[in-house]
Amino acid sequence: MEFKPTAISAMPPGGRFETDVAIVGAGPVGLFAVFECGMLGMSCHVLDALETVGGQCAALYPEKPIYDIPGLPEVSGRHLVDRLTTQAAPFEPSYHLDQRVSGLAAMPTGHWQLQTDAGTQVSAKAVIIAAGVGAFTPRRPPLAGIGDFEGGPEGVGVHYAVHDPNAYDGRRVVIAGGGDSAVDWALALAGKAAAIFMVHRRDKFRAADALVARLRELAAAGAVELVVPYQLKALEGAGGRLSAVEVADAAGNLRRIEADALLPFFGLAQALGPIADWVPELTDGHVVVDPATAMTALPGLFAIGDVSTYPGKLKLILTGFAEAARAAYTAHGVVFPGKRLKFEYSTTKGIPRE
């Protein structure tokens, strides 16, 4: 049977919501926590600072192979995220993306109140922090007026992630950067976009050798134009609509590229941010938890994945998956106090079907 990934629809910013569990971080471990919570009858709202789900897997190495996921001898970051979102989909999680959680407070009711920088408020009975090494935000190129071209429909203007490759059909696309993400999307959009211009400050790329070799093959065939060694200089457009990207080389020579869209992939800035103020104990920038429950010293506040620490911790995705299960089972007692939890295997219990 052919696998078809589940499309993700993010909630619009703003509004007030109530849920059983709020999950801060939409990386692989956070997505699997949705599944584990759903299997125990708990609803979830997921919040992430990035524009799309997947965390580092989607943002930093979507096409790079991962070899240590049980049962999957080799899987790309993108495909792993696709499978995790599809696995979580039957439990109908709500996603709040492109929003940083700016505040978390315990309420007199025993619930937790989360606030985002976009004005969204979520009240939850339990909170699972699955924020990796903290919130990721794209590194924006220092171009005058770049904000005028951000936030528009995909396929036009400036975007730091690709949600729908089909939105770039027939578009003239400038991709800036020399790492895995930049090369991955140049390869993925080749044949869809009307033209692809790959801007990098040097002729050497940092992506995997096989991907770079494929990129040069496409360049030789005329499917991608390598604009090297150049860097972004300025943007042109009116009414929030991009019309051209100006680039410059080290000698100051300028080139104007007519373009509908600019995709800058200059990596992500990451910081623990306000998480450090929420938790009772940190060690070397990581949240200290009980390894048996994944809970902090505050009842109902959990941390899983790379953000958490305890004696003997292994920073592996599969370790985070196990922590997600521990957190969900412990959170059940917080969400449904006094309700007996009967352990059942998924082969016995099954999952919701449409």
Side-chain angles (χ1 to χ4, degrees):
M1 181 182 296
E2 182 181 359
F3 173 79
K4 294 184 179 180
T6 299
I8 294 297
S9 296
M11 305 286 289
R16 296 171 180 265
F17 305 90
E18 292 186 3
T19 187
D20 291 330
V21 180
I23 298 174
V24 182
V29 172
L31 294 173
F32 190 65
V34 173
F35 171 80
E36 288 292 334
C37 288
M39 290 291 286
L40 299 180
M42 294 182 287
S43 61
C44 292
H45 279 239
V46 185
L47 306 97
D48 199 287
L50 293 179
E51 294 180 342
T52 187
V53 301
Q56 295 184 59
C57 281
L60 299 182
Y61 44 89
E63 297 302 332
K64 186 172 286 186
I66 303 171
Y67 299 105
D68 59 354
I69 304 300
L72 297 173
E74 178 181 335
V75 64
S76 69
R78 189 203 316 271
H79 290 156
L80 176 61
V81 170
D82 285 344
R83 281 157 174 77
L84 288 165
T85 53
T86 297
Q87 188 177 32
F91 304 106
E92 300 181 344
S94 296
Y95 294 97
H96 305 272
L97 304 178
D98 199 18
Q99 303 181 52
R100 183 191 295 267
V101 177
S102 55
L104 173 68
M107 307 303 290
T109 59
H111 291 191
W112 294 89
Q113 186 75 28
L114 296 91
Q115 173 82 35
T116 77
D117 57 7
T120 301
Q121 294 183 8
V122 178
S123 175
K125 299 173 184 176
V127 174
I128 298 176
I129 301 172
V133 290
F136 287 91
T137 54
R139 298 187 188 276
R140 302 169 74 224
L143 301 175
I146 190 171
D148 296 339
F149 304 104
E150 298 173 337
E154 192 160 13
V156 296
V158 178
H159 293 273
Y160 301 96
V162 176
H163 302 101
D164 179 13
N166 294 326
Y168 296 88
D169 286 0
R171 305 289 190 182
R172 294 174 61 86
V173 181
V174 174
I175 297 176
D180 286 310
S181 295
V183 175
D184 282 343
W185 283 115
L187 300 180
L189 296 180
K192 288 181 175 292
I196 296 178
F197 302 90
M198 190 78 175
V199 177
H200 189 41
R201 58 188 172 84
R202 54 181 181 165
D203 191 36
K204 184 176 181 180
F205 295 88
R206 302 185 308 278
D209 291 343
L211 298 180
V212 174
R214 178 59 181 152
L215 178 68
R216 296 196 183 280
E217 290 176 2
L218 291 176
V224 175
E225 182 175 343
L226 301 182
V227 184
V228 293
Y230 280 87
Q231 297 190 65
L232 301 177
K233 178 70 174 179
L235 304 178
E236 296 180 16
R241 192 170 187 88
L242 185 68
S243 60
V245 175
E246 188 177 77
V247 298
D249 65 11
N253 299 308
L254 301 179
R255 177 181 171 184
R256 181 179 180 275
I257 304 172
E258 293 185 359
D260 301 299
L262 169 64
L263 299 174
F265 292 113
F266 295 143
L268 300 171
Q270 54 195 44
L272 201 58
I275 293 176
D277 299 324
W278 306 341
V279 297
E281 185 178 359
L282 289 172
T283 296
D284 295 329
H286 295 81
V287 181
V288 177
V289 299
D290 180 346
T293 63
M295 190 161 63
T296 69
L298 296 177
L301 182 61
F302 302 81
I304 61 177
D306 286 353
V307 75
S308 71
T309 189
Y310 49 81
K313 166 84 174 193
L314 292 176
K315 279 196 171 185
L316 298 172
I317 294 177
L318 62 91
T319 303
F321 290 162
E323 293 165 355
R326 292 192 190 108
Y329 273 82
T330 307
H332 184 275
V334 176
V335 174
F336 305 116
K339 183 179 180 180
R340 180 174 176 269
L341 175 59
K342 179 184 177 182
F343 179 84
E344 292 182 278
Y345 293 108
S346 63
T347 50
T348 302
K349 187 172 184 178
I351 59 173
R353 299 292 184 183
E354 296 182 351

